[in-house]
Amino acid sequence: MRITANHRVAILQHQGILGSIGKTGLTLLRYSEGNIVAVIDSESAGQSLPELTGIARDVPIVASVEEALGMNPDVLAIGIAPPGGALPPEWFAELRRAVSAGLSIVNGLHTPLNHHPELSFPLREGQWIWDVRQEPKGLKIGSAQARQLACPRVLTVGTDMAIGKMSTCLEIHRLAKQRGLQSQFVATGQAGLMIAGSGVALDAVRVDFAAGAVEQAVMQCATDCDLILVEGQGSLFHPGSTATLPLLRGSQPTHLVLVHRGGQTHIRNHPHVPIPALPEAIALYEAVASAAGALTPSRVVAVALNSRDLDETHSREAIQQIEAETGLPCTDPVRFGPAKLLDAILAP
């Protein structure tokens, strides 16, 4: 299942356009092929979405599901991830209104909504609730099987969480397809799965099977493929991250792209945890990926800079500094396009 161009989508985005909890909805606005007809955010209602976000998608921002129903959506996608993973009661009421009006629900929260007692309305014909975060069936432990594939396997890795690893993958994927390559994007988080429809919600998988789940997702898309792009999660430097290692083990990447936020020196929300210099970060990722030669050797071939917090002049200066510091090509793939990154991946 995935959101397609045939769906008329409203995105539940309360406090997520300007706040920090709306990553999923903003990703859908930037990359989904769905026909997005409304964004629901009482905090920003009536304002211009392109002016607020820089996303070139002129979609009205409305205050409630009730108002969004006037745009005739057939799907409500939950685009926010509140702390703790559960919607406040006043926002849950929006879901009840949507389901009672016949809308299908795309749910990326940890809390399942299928058979939820507060959404016990009989679903209409063709109406559904998709809980994105589900563990696939029939999982096995990882076996490094992906190292047998002939095509390049690219994993985005980061100096922190939530800095643009998925966006980097999707930008490269889009350009690769424009160049005529048979590119496959392997989603590993809820937003990526809503867009791509294939992959694995890694944070819904028991830890013993995490590498195997990634391996299974990679192997399923490897037929007649020129390039596999695996969405990164977490960071080896984040004290609470558990996702990066199974991604490295399961995908057996041949190439790594390091993603870094411009100007960031410490893990966000953990100021006592510094981010190492980028050459040291690169050396660590390459060493862990290869496991002292036991697994597929993997090189960091480029750096993707998230320069959202910098103006264009300072962004270009930061890119030049990173290229001088690391000896690798660097760009902001959202702001300036991903050509440098794809060229580095395809270089002999």
Side-chain angles (χ1 to χ4, degrees), residues 112-134:
L113 296 180
N114 252 312
H115 312 299
H116 194 286
E118 293 195 51
L119 297 176
S120 56
F121 310 97
L123 297 182
R124 305 177 188 182
E125 183 177 355
Q127 187 182 15
W128 40 263
I129 296 176
W130 176 24
D131 290 320
V132 177
R133 278 181 157 122
Q134 298 185 56

Side-chain angles (χ1 to χ4, degrees), residues 20-324:
S20 61
I21 63 172
K23 175 185 171 184
T24 297
L26 294 175
T27 299
L28 291 176
L29 284 163
R30 192 179 296 278
Y31 297 110
S32 174
E33 65 180 33
N35 180 13
I36 300 174
V37 298
V39 178
I40 303 162
D41 185 353
S42 57
E43 181 180 63
S44 303
Q47 299 185 61
S48 165
L49 183 73
E51 289 180 7
L52 291 177
T53 66
I55 298 172
R57 199 161 188 165
D58 196 10
V59 178
I61 305 173
V62 300
S64 65
V65 164
E66 189 66 42
E67 191 173 346
L69 292 176
M71 285 79 172
N72 298 314
D74 52 31
V75 172
L76 180 72
I78 301 175
I80 45 178
L87 293 177
E90 62 272 20
W91 296 354
F92 209 97
E94 298 271 64
L95 292 184
R96 290 195 295 272
R97 179 68 185 101
V99 174
S100 67
L103 274 64
S104 296
I105 303 294
V106 178
N107 170 37
L109 301 175
H110 282 287
T111 303
L113 296 180
N114 252 312
H115 312 299
H116 194 286
E118 293 195 51
L119 297 176
S120 56
F121 310 97
L123 297 182
R124 305 177 188 182
E125 183 177 355
Q127 187 182 15
W128 40 263
I129 296 176
W130 176 24
D131 290 320
V132 177
R133 278 181 157 122
Q134 298 185 56
E135 183 179 271
K137 299 183 183 302
L139 290 178
K140 300 177 181 179
I141 63 172
S143 62
Q145 187 179 8
R147 70 188 302 175
Q148 302 170 11
L149 300 175
C151 62
R153 301 174 300 282
V154 182
L155 174 67
T156 50
V157 294
T159 55
D160 197 0
M161 293 183 175
I163 57 172
K165 294 181 288 293
M166 176 182 57
S167 296
T168 297
C169 262
L170 287 169
E171 292 286 348
I172 297 171
H173 176 57
R174 182 160 57 188
L175 179 60
K177 294 201 322 187
Q178 289 172 358
R179 292 187 180 181
L181 296 174
Q182 294 295 320
S183 175
Q184 293 285 348
F185 168 66
V186 179
T188 59
Q190 69 272 23
L193 282 163
M194 291 176 191
I195 294 166
S198 61
V200 58
L202 190 57
D203 59 6
V205 177
R206 290 164 291 171
V207 65
D208 282 356
F209 298 100
V214 174
E215 180 176 284
Q216 175 177 288
V218 169
M219 297 302 295
Q220 285 174 345
C221 72
T223 305
D224 297 326
C225 184
D226 298 321
L227 179 66
I228 296 176
L229 294 155
V230 182
E231 175 190 359
Q233 300 287 340
S235 170
L236 290 179
F237 308 111
H238 194 293
S241 174
T242 58
T244 306
L245 190 59
L247 279 162
L248 287 164
R249 295 296 176 252
S251 66
Q252 293 292 297
T254 55
H255 301 72
L256 303 172
V257 174
L258 180 68
V259 186
H260 177 64
R261 181 183 287 109
Q264 185 174 349
T265 59
H266 294 73
I267 298 297
R268 187 167 62 94
N269 300 329
H270 297 287
H272 59 290
V273 182
I275 294 173
L278 294 187
E280 295 177 13
I282 289 167
L284 177 65
Y285 271 112
E286 291 180 344
V288 173
S290 66
L295 300 174
T296 303
S298 187
R299 295 181 300 117
V300 174
V301 295
V303 179
L305 180 70
N306 178 341
S307 67
R308 180 179 177 181
D309 298 329
L310 306 176
D311 61 29
E312 184 169 334
T313 298
H314 287 96
S315 174
R316 293 188 184 279
E317 290 175 353
I319 287 170
Q320 291 176 356
Q321 180 179 345
I322 289 172
E323 289 185 332

